[in-house]
Amino acid sequence: MCCQFGMWNGRTDPSDDPPPPGLGLYGDFHTIDWVREKARDRHRHRKISSKKKDSRWDYVKWVLDSWSGWLVVTLTGLAAGAIAGLIDIAADWMSDLKEGVCLTGLWLNREQCCWGSNETTFEDRYTCPLWKNWADFVIGQPDGPGSYILNYIMFTLVALAFAGLAVTLVREFAPYACGSGIPEIKTILSGFIIRGYLGKWTLLVKTVTLVLAVSSGLNLGKEGPLVHVACCCGNIFSYLFPKYRTNEAKKREVLSAASAAGVSVAFGAPIGGVLFSLEEVSYYFPMKTLWRSFFAALVAAFVLRAINPFGNSRLVLFYVEYHTPWYLFELVPFIALGVFGGLWGAAFIKLNIAWCRRRKTTGLGRYPVAEVLVVTAVTAIISYPNPYTRMNTSQLISELFTDCGPLKSSPLCDYVSLASNDSVEPGAGGDDVPDRPAGPDVYTALWQLAMALATKIPLTVLTFGMKVPSGLFIPSMAVGAVAGRLLGVCVEQLAVQHRDWIFFRGWCHAGADCITPGLYAMVGAAACLGGVTRMTVSLVVIMFELTGGLEYIVPLMAAVMTSKWVGDAFGREGIYGAHIRLNGYPFLDAKESEGAPCWARDVMRPRGDSATLVTLRSEGMTLREVEEVVTRCRHTAFPVMTGAQSPRLVGMVLRCDIMIAIESARKKQPGLSDNCMVSFGGSGRSGSESTEVAEGSGSGGDGVTGATLCLRSILDVSPFTLTDQTPMEIVIDIFRKMGLRQCLITHHGRLLGIITKKDLLRHQAHASNIDPPSRLFD
Amino acid sequence: MCCQFGMWNGRTDPSDDPPPPGLGLYGDFHTIDWVREKARDRHRHRKISSKKKDSRWDYVKWVLDSWSGWLVVTLTGLAAGAIAGLIDIAADWMSDLKEGVCLTGLWLNREQCCWGSNETTFEDRYTCPLWKNWADFVIGQPDGPGSYILNYIMFTLVALAFAGLAVTLVREFAPYACGSGIPEIKTILSGFIIRGYLGKWTLLVKTVTLVLAVSSGLNLGKEGPLVHVACCCGNIFSYLFPKYRTNEAKKREVLSAASAAGVSVAFGAPIGGVLFSLEEVSYYFPMKTLWRSFFAALVAAFVLRAINPFGNSRLVLFYVEYHTPWYLFELVPFIALGVFGGLWGAAFIKLNIAWCRRRKTTGLGRYPVAEVLVVTAVTAIISYPNPYTRMNTSQLISELFTDCGPLKSSPLCDYVSLASNDSVEPGAGGDDVPDRPAGPDVYTALWQLAMALATKIPLTVLTFGMKVPSGLFIPSMAVGAVAGRLLGVCVEQLAVQHRDWIFFRGWCHAGADCITPGLYAMVGAAACLGGVTRMTVSLVVIMFELTGGLEYIVPLMAAVMTSKWVGDAFGREGIYGAHIRLNGYPFLDAKESEGAPCWARDVMRPRGDSATLVTLRSEGMTLREVEEVVTRCRHTAFPVMTGAQSPRLVGMVLRCDIMIAIESARKKQPGLSDNCMVSFGGSGRSGSESTEVAEGSGSGGDGVTGATLCLRSILDVSPFTLTDQTPMEIVIDIFRKMGLRQCLITHHGRLLGIITKKDLLRHQAHASNIDPPSRLFD
């Protein structure tokens, strides 16, 4: 009764027997074996291809199979674009609900409400009669101190309601919906399984709570969570196609494309999205995936443009066009912004991680709802008095990025016209007026911006990591944009008042409009985002796609490079890496260790005098013995050796596979004796392994009767082996590039030990003197 | 007299003894071992880092070392931009020399010459009196049949002179300067050594002959060769820094960045250049290289813009801006262009490879100068009568891409004004005139374009592969642009005359300007280039950077995708892959084999009943025996085994290393006897390898006297091993991802054979039923 399972592990010869159920699946919080997944996919593909000429139906199956990759990324792109559009529209509307309502329809946001009104002049646009702030709506009195207080209270209460609803929904229905999701997606893409993280409940709850969280005015963005939302879509659609449903490696190709689509809709930057997926989140990124990611990103961007959530046929609120060139001297302030961004990034990572660790380790973590409510209340109370913090963060960024054109009515554009030497009406300053000394409103605005900076920094640190969906692209960019705009206005005023200084003399003539404060805001935003995430190319490309002009790449690049270098001086990890480490996810980094050289023998287990390696014998063990070993010893994999004297390695077998195979054999053969012999060998004849390598295709294990349970088919006959003198850098390289889960270590052909991905992570943590309090080392 | 070499192979423990000269270098036409190179670099880096606190000078060395990567890519970008600017200016001037001279200065091209003239009206610009065509210059008669013939003859003669000079220079001084260079660069980046291919002579000769070849009017472009030129710069600058000079793997990082810079200046597309480097040419592309490539590409683009070779502050001649949107129905003609591009690509590859093979195998290859002269003469004679072939190919593309604006005076824009129903003056048609039935000049131009297409196709096939620098981006794009413009004008006229057709009814109202023929030209160019090179993302991004508008990505993408699929149906290889195979370069492709599954045991050598594997014993062989084995058997590597009974693998040693080590030992010890024992073992004591693994750092081999030559330091103690039952796909994957040169094959812990990169290539060639007549299998 030698049972033979099919070639489910993809390495031995193919056979058509279906594998027992559960074989080849992974448990929650397990690491996948990329080599095995890819081999299984190759086998599946070969089977479908070889059958395609058998019948018309098989041919259709083959065609469907070949096109399913394109189909799934198209669907993902469509869904990501549509959901992003919905979120944009809903968040826009609900943010305005904090301040008032529209009389023509509760479902209209302020801008739509005012479009309907007859007041079409520019100044009246924000005071249109159909839009009532809460004081006006409730007590019929739009202005006055009492109304102000009533508005203030309503603002806080609505924010609290939104935030409270969001955190309750997250806590009750989908705990995975909190945070930005990017650290977890990075981990999942590197080959980890987190069941439900990309499921339909998470998608639904994250979409709803993201809108609530953004509308509540907290210091968080929707850009990071959009990547998570897009990945949920990719995961859900991949369940429609057997090619992706059954194969964890193939599924991750879809997820890579989905994350590109997510960034594409978050920033309106399809190429930036692809590069983000490549640079920041993806792990295994073949060229085919690059092309499909690009496609998904484009589809998503076009769906979002068709929805047109901002009514300006742009994908984001803060798209800009500058018309003035920059000058070489300006690199000095740009690099200064880079230094600021790097410092901000390093400080943010340190403080945020410290705070999140405190949340994890102290009682604070037990009251997520209270925490969110308190932070929301503090945010709302601090934010309301200052117009720059009261507005939506995206709107703030848009305001700061935009240059003062003739149509711009912001207080930041209140420049004095030199001709009349009077403070001109807002809206008349700008590009037309070449010399721009600041008017009084500019100075007020600068103070308000400085206050906004001072409040936003601590609030962002406290907010990221709470139990609501929270991205930090937008808050980081806001910090940088405020700092940049402040610096930009200062440099501009310096230039206006000191045209004879050596810095300005050459290029900033009287009457020339030489400094663009909006560009400074943009460079500052890029620098701060770079400092926090340590992204490089993808960040510059995203910013480039926002401006559309090649000339502004150089300032952006200078600032991003500086910020990365400054940030790296304080710690080489970005915020996502830091959160991965904080949560103890098994993510294998490519970073070079600086310490003493180290070899495989120093990391493998068992090492030194500890217990010897537990192995199985390919012949001669009874079922009871095998079960005993497997039950006693909870290693994930067991090497299988030839007979007792001079043991040599035959292959490797996974613990879960043995369990499933034995269970399945017991089901098939209810009377299977515990004393039945277990054979992992070629054809049951012991000691025949040296010459019969060439045969053994498919039918190798059959034909032997008697009390032998043949488990040859679950044996991995080509385990990876390395010698004990291999440097650890090479070991890590192989694990990363091949996506291994474990590797055997030999010395002079003799098996010495085993290295698993966990051993590597432990080694890396040890090398960096880190002791992560993690799920990983439990 | 046991000599000990330093840790030059990077795998064993470090030691500071300098290695014997030549150890660790590679011969011409050899494959590098990436693992070894990276290990060596790690060792070097560790050494410099550990020393940095010793003295100020060591600290400076460490800083210099850390920054040398940025420095070398900056220099490469600067040089690539500068040389590209020079080439552009020189080619512009010399192309015009075929038609005439400038009286104010021989060194001025027609445009510059006419700027100086007083005729500033638009029509007179091309007939300015200071520019004399040859007939006018020689016989003082600008027009008439005699002058036409004289101009014709001069055109042909100048073209012949340029081409003849180019081919002679290439043949005499730098044979590697011919062709586009991209196939070779792909091979070099994959780890092959071709000495002199990226040297200073090649750079110099290629720069000069590229100008000559482009100016001669042959159907070739300068875009591919610019990548070669940029890589030469990268290679030359990498010699300035020991980090890159001494390490072939690090040098390839610089070359990847250089190829990005090359494409950046060729198309004015820095992001496209980076993606080209990533998608098409690079092999090993860590994230650090991505960032540096981007930097190099930007530096190069800005240097080129500072030089401003075309006087329009654009990087390329054919930058365009469209203002009309495209409509969904237009995807039908765009996809048709994609089909055309795919067919053209497949036909071009087949015909060009057949012709190149004929050149290689028949006597044709012995007369490169005659071939070039004949093709140039034919090209010049055919091209002169047709204005579209007479002009520079870049100018032709620019002409075809540009939409008919009000200022456009091309015959292609000779539209009939409906108001007066007369053929209006050229220059008055265009965007202002909504309905555009074609005038007579348009029909003439269409005929001329069709003729140009018919002549350009065969000439391009004959030209690519001749012994002059020749890129095929531009000729391919020209073919596609001509086809696209033809189709675009046809669709436009259909729309004008049949507005009631169901296709046009919904969106092309009378009076609307609905079709942009220039966009069709662009889509056609992308499709044809895609068909020939099979590039995907990078091509779309390059084209996107030419137009600058996100909306035209969808047509481009549709056409490029169609063209790739149609082309792949006829053969999966792009032109560069086909040329790599034609020349037999050892390039390991990632393509999946469709055939029967295959295992390592089927590919390794020795296999079956052939000779047994030649091994060395770690102890007990005399110097004479070792030398005999090494001389008799020309394998690149020898496994080293423990004693004769039950041999087990100790490590692997390279043939060239043994030779160098023995030679160096003989030099040091002139009286070294042939009977001296050779030891590869731990410390000379035989059989002690099982326990003394943990020691052996640095001084392991010393301390033993007597007639033993200790070669432990050249032993690679961590060779890669795989089992004989590993599927070939996994073997190829490991070779590709880890950059291996050879791998040992074991069965149950016993050494069976060895697989080298050449075995893999032979296996791939065999699997695709190809028998390449190559340098590789000699």
Side-chain angles (χ1 to χ4, degrees):
Chain A
M1 56 189 169
C2 184
C3 60
Q4 170 86 17
F5 300 119
M7 196 290 290
W8 60 270
N9 72 4
R11 297 221 186 141
T12 46
D13 308 292
S15 118
D16 285 334
D17 303 338
L23 212 55
L25 298 184
Y26 298 94
D28 204 1
F29 300 112
H30 275 67
T31 301
I32 69 167
D33 183 340
W34 290 82
V35 179
R36 173 168 146 165
E37 294 298 296
K38 280 189 268 174
R40 281 174 57 199
D41 180 64
R42 238 178 344 247
H43 173 59
R44 194 197 51 73
H45 177 73
R46 199 170 262 147
K47 214 161 100 183
I48 291 183
S49 299
S50 68
K51 267 193 187 164
K52 73 177 174 200
K53 284 178 186 150
D54 289 2
S55 73
R56 199 159 295 171
W57 173 234
D58 282 320
Y59 190 80
V60 169
K61 273 210 285 193
W62 175 75
V63 169
L64 272 181
D65 186 74
S66 318
W67 286 85
S68 58
W70 287 102
L71 210 55
V72 72
V73 296
T74 312
L75 289 171
T76 305
L78 290 172
I83 295 179
L86 281 182
I87 290 175
D88 282 343
I89 291 171
D92 232 31
W93 164 62
M94 286 176 62
S95 292
D96 287 345
L97 267 192
K98 291 205 300 291
E99 299 190 40
V101 281
C102 184
L103 291 186
T104 40
L106 192 66
W107 57 90
L108 294 177
N109 68 17
R110 179 153 64 184
E111 205 172 341
Q112 291 160 334
C113 191
C114 297
W115 279 343
S117 87
N118 293 323
E119 320 288 322
T120 48
T121 65
F122 214 81
E123 279 81 40
D124 285 347
R125 204 172 136 205
Y126 280 90
T127 55
C128 67
L130 290 174
W131 176 262
K132 299 280 181 202
N133 61 31
W134 286 112
D136 196 5
F137 187 70
V138 178
I139 57 171
Q141 194 182 349
D143 286 312
S147 319
Y148 185 83
I149 290 168
L150 185 59
N151 279 331
Y152 202 156
I153 292 172
M154 280 305 291
F155 183 88
T156 312
L157 287 182
V158 176
L160 279 172
F162 288 165
L165 188 57
V167 67
T168 314
L169 283 174
V170 166
R171 206 185 52 169
E172 296 298 322
F173 297 106
Y176 284 146
C178 72
S180 91
I182 293 180
E184 286 80 8
I185 287 167
K186 270 186 86 161
T187 313
I188 290 175
L189 284 174
S190 83
F192 196 54
I193 307 258
I194 308 180
R195 291 230 181 284
Y197 198 84
L198 301 173
K200 53 187 179 307
W201 273 110
T202 309
L203 173 62
L204 188 67
V205 172
K206 187 135 196 174
T207 307
V208 173
T209 54
L210 181 56
V211 172
L212 290 169
V214 169
S215 313
S216 75
L218 280 166
N219 275 293
L220 46 80
K222 60 183 168 37
E223 278 61 18
L226 273 181
V227 176
H228 186 182
V229 165
C231 283
C232 288
C233 298
N235 182 51
I236 290 167
F237 285 120
S238 76
Y239 274 94
L240 298 180
F241 302 94
K243 183 175 180 177
Y244 295 97
R245 182 176 59 228
T246 59
N247 197 298
E248 294 291 336
K250 297 297 282 181
K251 196 185 280 171
R252 275 157 183 75
E253 291 179 16
V254 178
L255 295 183
S256 288
S259 61
V263 172
S264 165
V265 289
F267 292 102
I271 303 171
V274 174
L275 287 172
F276 174 82
S277 177
L278 172 72
E279 184 189 355
E280 188 61 31
V281 300
S282 288
Y283 197 83
Y284 167 65
F285 206 85
M287 281 305 127
K288 222 199 287 179
T289 309
L290 187 72
W291 188 214
R292 287 190 185 156
S293 300
F294 191 53
F295 185 74
L298 267 183
V299 170
F302 275 87
V303 171
L304 184 58
R305 177 179 289 188
I307 294 176
N308 199 1
F310 302 111
N312 59 355
S313 78
R314 295 295 177 193
L315 302 166
V316 284
L317 207 50
F318 39 90
Y319 182 94
V320 276
E321 279 178 80
Y322 301 125
H323 302 286
T324 356
W326 58 277
Y327 298 88
L328 203 63
F329 149 73
E330 289 188 278
L331 279 180
V332 177
F334 293 150
I335 287 174
L337 284 175
V339 173
F340 172 78
L343 293 175
W344 148 255
F348 176 80
I349 293 171
K350 281 248 158 57
L351 294 172
N352 183 257
I353 291 294
W355 182 249
C356 288
R357 179 161 293 140
R358 166 170 290 262
R359 186 184 290 129
K360 263 182 130 76
T361 50
T362 64
L364 186 63
R366 288 201 299 278
Y367 308 104
V369 178
E371 185 195 358
V372 168
L373 289 178
V374 168
V375 173
T376 311
V378 170
T379 307
I381 290 168
I382 294 182
S383 299
Y384 189 80
N386 186 339
Y388 290 108
T389 47
R390 194 195 303 175
M391 64 171 75
N392 203 325
T393 318
S394 300
Q395 272 168 342
L396 170 64
I397 293 176
S398 165
E399 181 93 23
L400 295 171
F401 277 13
T402 316
D403 201 17
C404 287
L407 289 175
K408 193 79 176 118
S409 63
S410 152
L412 271 172
C413 296
D414 169 46
Y415 288 104
V416 178
S417 160
L418 274 197
S420 64
N421 216 3
D422 276 322
S423 177
V424 293
E425 285 288 284
D431 273 0
D432 301 328
V433 188
D435 269 319
R436 320 199 282 188
D441 279 5
V442 173
Y443 288 108
T444 320
L446 287 189
W447 271 113
Q448 286 172 338
L449 281 180
M451 287 307 298
L453 190 64
T455 55
K456 271 195 180 291
I457 286 179
L459 285 174
T460 306
V461 171
L462 295 181
T463 306
F464 188 70
M466 288 200 312
K467 291 272 170 253
V468 284
S470 57
L472 53 60
F473 281 115
I474 288 287
S476 292
M477 282 171 73
V479 166
V482 172
R485 186 83 188 208
L486 285 175
L487 185 65
V489 174
C490 292
V491 173
E492 187 192 41
Q493 293 309 314
L494 265 186
V496 168
Q497 281 157 26
H498 303 278
R499 290 198 191 284
D500 49 340
W501 281 15
I502 191 144
F503 285 145
F504 302 108
R505 206 184 290 155
W507 49 278
C508 198
H509 306 289
D513 176 22
C514 27
I515 310 273
T516 312
L519 177 62
Y520 282 70
M522 176 153 221
V523 169
C528 282
L529 189 48
V532 171
T533 61
R534 308 289 157 85
M535 284 155 58
T536 53
V537 186
S538 44
L539 179 57
V540 174
V541 173
I542 287 172
M543 288 305 203
F544 158 74
E545 289 189 80
L546 286 180
T547 57
L550 200 60
E551 39 262 84
Y552 304 109
I553 283 195
V554 172
L556 287 170
M557 192 139 184
V560 170
M561 263 162 109
T562 314
S563 131
K564 185 172 161 64
W565 284 330
V566 170
D568 279 354
F570 292 94
R572 297 190 72 83
E573 255 175 351
I575 185 73
Y576 301 127
H579 270 265
I580 285 176
R581 204 155 48 65
L582 177 74
N583 291 315
Y585 297 128
F587 185 81
L588 199 56
D589 234 335
K591 64 180 174 220
E592 297 270 304
S593 72
E594 291 283 320
C598 196
W599 283 265
R601 61 175 178 245
D602 306 327
V603 175
M604 71 175 190
R605 283 181 315 170
R607 73 175 165 270
D609 297 330
S610 72
T612 51
L613 186 66
V614 179
T615 60
L616 297 173
R617 267 169 293 135
S618 73
E619 308 289 338
M621 282 177 93
T622 64
L623 185 52
R624 184 183 297 128
E625 283 173 314
V626 170
E627 281 189 305
E628 204 183 275
V629 168
V630 171
T631 326
R632 176 169 49 86
C633 175
R634 303 191 67 82
H635 295 167
T636 45
F638 297 93
V640 177
M641 314 291 285
T642 56
Q645 65 270 37
S646 88
R648 276 175 298 125
L649 183 68
V650 175
M652 193 168 59
V653 65
L654 294 184
R655 183 168 178 273
C656 57
D657 290 348
I658 302 183
M659 313 269 275
I660 290 168
I662 290 176
E663 194 185 336
S664 148
R666 278 196 200 281
K667 258 187 208 143
K668 276 192 193 164
Q669 312 267 349
L672 198 66
S673 149
D674 275 357
N675 291 320
C676 152
M677 301 302 278
V678 175
S679 160
F680 295 98
S683 49
R685 281 162 290 159
S686 100
S688 68
E689 74 296 329
S690 63
T691 52
E692 265 146 47
V693 189
E695 66 95 69
S697 42
S699 62
D702 276 297
V704 179
T705 56
T708 302
L709 175 65
C710 172
L711 295 182
R712 177 175 154 68
S713 63
I714 61 164
L715 183 70
D716 175 2
V717 291
S718 56
F720 278 79
T721 55
L722 290 171
T723 73
D724 59 337
Q725 283 160 299
T726 313
M728 275 314 290
E729 288 92 353
I730 297 180
V731 177
I732 293 174
D733 218 31
I734 295 176
F735 266 78
R736 265 190 68 87
K737 287 193 178 150
M738 302 303 299
L740 298 188
R741 202 172 163 193
Q742 61 267 318
C743 178
L744 298 173
I745 303 298
T746 60
H747 176 73
H748 291 192
R750 269 188 206 141
L751 186 66
L752 274 195
I754 190 167
I755 290 185
T756 65
K757 201 168 167 186
K758 276 190 190 174
D759 295 324
L760 285 192
L761 291 163
R762 206 178 279 122
H763 163 71
Q764 278 195 335
H766 188 73
S768 354
N769 291 317
I770 302 161
D771 184 43
S774 73
R775 155 187 299 157
L776 163 67
F777 301 118
D778 292 350
Chain B
M1 61 192 164
C2 183
C3 62
Q4 169 85 18
F5 300 119
M7 197 290 289
W8 60 269
N9 72 3
R11 297 219 186 144
T12 46
D13 309 291
S15 118
D16 284 334
D17 302 339
L23 212 56
L25 298 184
Y26 297 95
D28 205 1
F29 300 111
H30 276 68
T31 301
I32 69 166
D33 183 339
W34 289 81
V35 179
R36 173 168 147 166
E37 294 297 297
K38 280 188 270 173
R40 281 175 56 201
D41 180 63
R42 234 171 356 240
H43 173 59
R44 194 198 51 74
H45 176 74
R46 202 169 261 146
K47 215 162 97 185
I48 291 183
S49 300
S50 68
K51 266 193 188 165
K52 73 178 172 201
K53 284 177 186 150
D54 289 2
S55 73
R56 200 160 293 170
W57 172 235
D58 282 319
Y59 190 79
V60 170
K61 273 210 284 194
W62 174 74
V63 170
L64 272 181
D65 186 74
S66 320
W67 285 85
S68 58
W70 287 102
L71 211 55
V72 71
V73 296
T74 311
L75 290 171
T76 306
L78 289 172
I83 294 179
L86 280 182
I87 289 175
D88 282 343
I89 291 172
D92 232 33
W93 164 62
M94 286 176 64
S95 292
D96 286 345
L97 268 192
K98 292 205 299 291
E99 300 190 41
V101 281
C102 184
L103 290 187
T104 40
L106 192 65
W107 57 89
L108 294 177
N109 69 18
R110 180 153 65 185
E111 208 172 339
Q112 292 160 335
C113 189
C114 298
W115 280 343
S117 87
N118 293 322
E119 321 288 322
T120 47
T121 65
F122 215 81
E123 278 81 42
D124 286 349
R125 207 173 133 204
Y126 280 89
T127 55
C128 67
L130 289 175
W131 176 262
K132 298 281 181 202
N133 63 29
W134 285 113
D136 196 5
F137 188 70
V138 177
I139 58 173
Q141 194 181 349
D143 286 313
S147 319
Y148 185 83
I149 291 168
L150 186 58
N151 279 331
Y152 203 156
I153 291 171
M154 279 305 288
F155 184 88
T156 313
L157 287 183
V158 175
L160 280 172
F162 287 165
L165 187 55
V167 68
T168 314
L169 282 175
V170 166
R171 205 185 52 168
E172 296 298 323
F173 297 105
Y176 284 146
C178 72
S180 91
I182 293 180
E184 286 80 8
I185 286 166
K186 269 185 88 161
T187 315
I188 289 174
L189 283 174
S190 84
F192 197 55
I193 306 258
I194 308 179
R195 291 228 181 285
Y197 198 84
L198 302 173
K200 52 187 181 307
W201 273 109
T202 309
L203 173 62
L204 189 67
V205 172
K206 188 137 196 172
T207 307
V208 172
T209 54
L210 181 56
V211 173
L212 290 169
V214 169
S215 312
S216 75
L218 280 166
N219 275 293
L220 47 81
K222 58 183 169 38
E223 277 63 16
L226 272 181
V227 175
H228 186 180
V229 164
C231 283
C232 288
C233 296
N235 182 50
I236 290 167
F237 285 120
S238 76
Y239 274 95
L240 297 180
F241 303 94
K243 183 174 178 177
Y244 296 97
R245 182 176 60 228
T246 58
N247 196 297
E248 294 290 338
K250 296 298 281 181
K251 197 186 278 171
R252 277 158 182 75
E253 291 180 16
V254 177
L255 296 183
S256 288
S259 61
V263 173
S264 166
V265 289
F267 292 102
I271 302 171
V274 174
L275 286 171
F276 174 82
S277 177
L278 174 71
E279 185 189 355
E280 187 62 32
V281 300
S282 288
Y283 196 83
Y284 168 65
F285 206 85
M287 280 307 126
K288 222 199 289 179
T289 308
L290 187 71
W291 188 214
R292 288 192 183 154
S293 300
F294 190 54
F295 186 73
L298 268 182
V299 169
F302 275 86
V303 170
L304 184 57
R305 176 178 290 187
I307 294 176
N308 199 0
F310 302 110
N312 58 357
S313 76
R314 296 293 176 194
L315 301 165
V316 284
L317 208 48
F318 38 91
Y319 182 93
V320 276
E321 279 178 81
Y322 301 124
H323 302 286
T324 357
W326 59 275
Y327 298 89
L328 204 62
F329 149 75
E330 290 188 278
L331 278 182
V332 177
F334 293 150
I335 287 173
L337 283 175
V339 173
F340 172 77
L343 292 175
W344 148 255
F348 176 80
I349 293 171
K350 283 246 158 55
L351 293 173
N352 182 258
I353 291 294
W355 182 247
C356 286
R357 180 162 290 141
R358 167 170 288 263
R359 186 184 291 129
K360 263 182 130 73
T361 50
T362 63
L364 187 62
R366 286 201 301 277
Y367 307 104
V369 178
E371 185 195 358
V372 169
L373 289 179
V374 168
V375 173
T376 310
V378 171
T379 307
I381 289 167
I382 293 182
S383 299
Y384 190 79
N386 187 338
Y388 290 108
T389 47
R390 194 195 304 173
M391 65 172 74
N392 204 322
T393 317
S394 301
Q395 272 169 341
L396 170 65
I397 293 176
S398 165
E399 181 93 24
L400 295 170
F401 277 13
T402 314
D403 200 19
C404 288
L407 287 176
K408 192 78 175 121
S409 63
S410 153
L412 271 171
C413 295
D414 170 45
Y415 288 103
V416 178
S417 161
L418 275 195
S420 63
N421 216 4
D422 274 323
S423 176
V424 293
E425 284 289 284
D431 273 0
D432 301 327
V433 187
D435 269 318
R436 320 201 282 187
D441 279 5
V442 173
Y443 288 108
T444 320
L446 287 189
W447 272 114
Q448 286 170 338
L449 280 180
M451 288 306 299
L453 191 63
T455 54
K456 270 195 178 295
I457 286 179
L459 285 175
T460 305
V461 171
L462 295 182
T463 306
F464 188 69
M466 289 199 313
K467 291 270 169 255
V468 285
S470 57
L472 53 62
F473 281 114
I474 288 289
S476 293
M477 283 172 74
V479 166
V482 171
R485 185 83 188 209
L486 286 174
L487 184 66
V489 174
C490 292
V491 173
E492 186 192 43
Q493 293 309 315
L494 266 185
V496 168
Q497 281 158 26
H498 304 277
R499 291 201 189 280
D500 50 338
W501 281 14
I502 191 144
F503 283 145
F504 301 108
R505 206 184 289 155
W507 50 278
C508 197
H509 307 289
D513 176 22
C514 27
I515 309 272
T516 313
L519 177 61
Y520 282 69
M522 178 154 221
V523 170
C528 282
L529 188 48
V532 170
T533 59
R534 307 290 156 83
M535 283 154 59
T536 54
V537 186
S538 45
L539 179 56
V540 174
V541 173
I542 286 172
M543 288 307 205
F544 158 74
E545 288 189 79
L546 286 181
T547 57
L550 200 59
E551 40 262 84
Y552 305 109
I553 282 195
V554 173
L556 288 170
M557 192 140 182
V560 170
M561 264 162 105
T562 315
S563 133
K564 184 172 162 65
W565 283 330
V566 170
D568 279 353
F570 293 93
R572 297 189 72 83
E573 253 174 355
I575 184 73
Y576 299 128
H579 270 265
I580 285 176
R581 205 156 45 66
L582 177 75
N583 291 314
Y585 297 127
F587 185 80
L588 199 56
D589 233 336
K591 64 180 173 221
E592 297 271 303
S593 72
E594 291 282 322
C598 195
W599 282 266
R601 60 175 179 249
D602 306 326
V603 175
M604 70 175 191
R605 284 181 310 172
R607 72 175 165 269
D609 298 330
S610 73
T612 52
L613 186 64
V614 178
T615 60
L616 297 173
R617 268 171 292 137
S618 73
E619 306 291 336
M621 285 178 90
T622 63
L623 186 53
R624 186 184 294 130
E625 283 174 314
V626 171
E627 281 189 306
E628 204 182 275
V629 169
V630 171
T631 326
R632 174 169 50 85
C633 175
R634 304 191 65 83
H635 296 167
T636 46
F638 297 93
V640 177
M641 315 290 286
T642 55
Q645 64 269 37
S646 89
R648 278 175 298 125
L649 183 67
V650 174
M652 194 169 58
V653 66
L654 294 183
R655 183 167 178 274
C656 57
D657 289 349
I658 303 183
M659 312 270 275
I660 291 169
I662 291 178
E663 194 185 338
S664 147
R666 278 196 202 281
K667 258 186 212 148
K668 276 192 193 165
Q669 311 267 350
L672 199 67
S673 149
D674 275 358
N675 292 320
C676 154
M677 300 303 279
V678 175
S679 159
F680 295 98
S683 51
R685 280 162 291 157
S686 101
S688 67
E689 76 296 328
S690 62
T691 52
E692 265 146 47
V693 189
E695 66 94 69
S697 44
S699 62
D702 275 299
V704 178
T705 54
T708 302
L709 175 64
C710 173
L711 296 182
R712 176 175 154 68
S713 63
I714 61 166
L715 184 71
D716 176 3
V717 291
S718 56
F720 279 80
T721 54
L722 291 170
T723 73
D724 58 338
Q725 283 160 299
T726 312
M728 275 316 288
E729 288 93 352
I730 296 180
V731 177
I732 292 174
D733 219 30
I734 295 176
F735 267 78
R736 263 190 69 85
K737 288 192 178 150
M738 303 302 300
L740 299 189
R741 203 174 162 189
Q742 61 266 316
C743 179
L744 298 172
I745 304 298
T746 60
H747 177 72
H748 291 190
R750 271 189 206 140
L751 186 67
L752 275 194
I754 192 167
I755 289 185
T756 63
K757 200 169 168 185
K758 276 191 190 174
D759 295 324
L760 285 192
L761 292 162
R762 205 178 279 123
H763 162 72
Q764 278 195 336
H766 187 73
S768 351
N769 293 316
I770 303 161
D771 184 44
S774 73
R775 157 187 299 158
L776 163 68
F777 299 118
D778 292 350

